[in-house]
Amino acid sequence: AQTVTQSQPEMSVQEAETVTLSCTYDTSESDYYLFWYKQPPSRQMILVIRQEAYKQQNATENRFSVNFQKAAKSFSLKISDSQLGDAAMYFCAYRSAWDNYGQNFVFGPGTRLSVLP
Amino acid sequence: NAGVTQTPKFQVLKTGQSMTLQCAQDMNHNSMYWYRQDPGMGLRLIYYSASEGTTDKGEVPNGYNVSRLNKREFSLRLESAAPSQTSVYFCASILGTVNTEAFFGQGTRLTVV
């Protein structure tokens, strides 16, 4: 079974600075998808960014980018120009390309990010 | 577009009481899910429904039952609540193709005393 690890339970960043959240995963599969979700205090789970494992190019969404290292099974999230609204719990998630029904959507334990003014 | 609607948002139960959490999605998604979120453990799958008329156990199904009422609705029932079921519950749906993400409801904070 796949596992997702986020080794940083909590992190903080100064407003306007850059922060990187770590995620590693364990899988024997070669085809899969990786996601970062943001959960603000409202509890709503919001998709931040998605990466297809077969793509070598790292995904980017505005201030959010990933560093995907397939051989190392690492998928870190970089937030540039941090804003107060970025304060949230961030979850890394893995989904197998063979996961036809979504039953193997695996989430990490989360990293709580604080943004300091 | 409402997405995934989950009710109630908060609930307090006494040990042994029963309740049903309701979930509905308006995105015509095939698959629906119930997760529980506990500190330091991420989201764990309780039950899922790959399509209308089917349900299957996830990682932590004990103490729960589900019903896929139709394509839109997927409910989670606690027959006899226990303090160990104190958690935040999320309903989610996926279109069904492997490259798509899950869409989540706003969660239910359930406290069993």
Side-chain angles (χ1 to χ4, degrees):
Chain A
Q2 294 81 17
T3 58
V4 176
T5 302
Q6 294 176 251
S7 60
Q8 307 150 317
E10 296 183 353
M11 291 197 71
S12 62
V13 62
Q14 210 69 36
E15 197 175 4
E17 296 294 311
T18 296
V19 64
T20 298
L21 308 184
S22 300
C23 172
T24 58
Y25 56 94
D26 185 26
T27 184
S28 59
E29 299 176 332
S30 59
D31 258 347
Y32 48 86
Y33 301 87
L34 298 165
F35 306 85
W36 277 99
Y37 278 89
K38 171 185 176 181
Q39 186 183 46
S42 67
R43 286 206 308 262
Q44 183 69 51
M45 294 283 284
I46 302 165
L47 179 69
V48 175
I49 202 164
R50 168 175 49 204
Q51 175 79 42
E52 291 88 347
Y54 62 85
K55 289 187 178 178
Q56 292 188 339
Q57 186 173 5
N58 290 324
T60 299
E61 288 287 343
N62 300 314
R63 297 182 295 107
F64 298 88
S65 61
V66 298
N67 184 5
F68 173 50
Q69 301 290 329
K70 191 172 184 180
K73 297 180 184 175
S74 171
F75 183 59
S76 60
L77 175 70
K78 185 172 82 170
I79 306 174
S80 304
D81 185 27
S82 296
Q83 301 175 359
L84 295 177
D86 295 333
M89 182 74 85
Y90 286 82
F91 291 99
C92 179
Y94 170 103
R95 185 180 182 192
S96 167
W98 303 104
D99 179 27
N100 292 326
Y101 303 120
Q103 71 272 29
N104 289 319
F105 219 125
V106 181
F107 289 84
T111 295
R112 184 172 300 282
L113 178 67
S114 301
V115 180
L116 308 173
Chain B
N1 189 353
V4 180
T5 303
Q6 191 178 332
T7 57
K9 289 186 171 53
F10 299 93
Q11 184 72 48
V12 178
L13 289 179
K14 293 182 179 179
T15 297
Q17 285 186 318
S18 62
M19 78 161 296
T20 300
L21 281 64
Q22 307 286 353
C23 175
Q25 53 90 10
D26 61 1
M27 297 174 284
N28 202 35
H29 284 176
N30 296 316
S31 304
M32 298 184 72
Y33 311 83
W34 278 104
Y35 291 91
R36 60 177 289 172
Q37 180 184 4
D38 300 293
M41 304 189 75
L43 278 71
R44 293 181 293 168
L45 184 63
I46 304 171
Y47 269 92
Y48 69 98
S49 171
S51 60
E52 185 179 354
T54 68
T55 60
D56 283 287
K57 296 177 180 179
E59 181 184 354
V60 288
N62 291 344
Y64 306 95
N65 285 301
V66 291
S67 295
R68 183 75 182 267
L69 305 171
N70 47 56
K71 191 171 185 178
R72 290 185 64 248
E73 298 173 287
F74 187 40
S75 63
L76 177 72
R77 182 159 179 84
L78 286 70
E79 291 290 352
S80 179
S84 61
Q85 294 178 305
T86 293
S87 187
V88 178
Y89 292 85
F90 284 95
C91 177
S93 69
I94 296 178
L95 176 60
T97 52
V98 294
N99 63 341
T100 56
E101 72 272 24
F103 292 82
F104 289 84
Q106 284 198 288
T108 298
R109 180 174 293 280
L110 173 66
T111 302
V112 183
V113 298

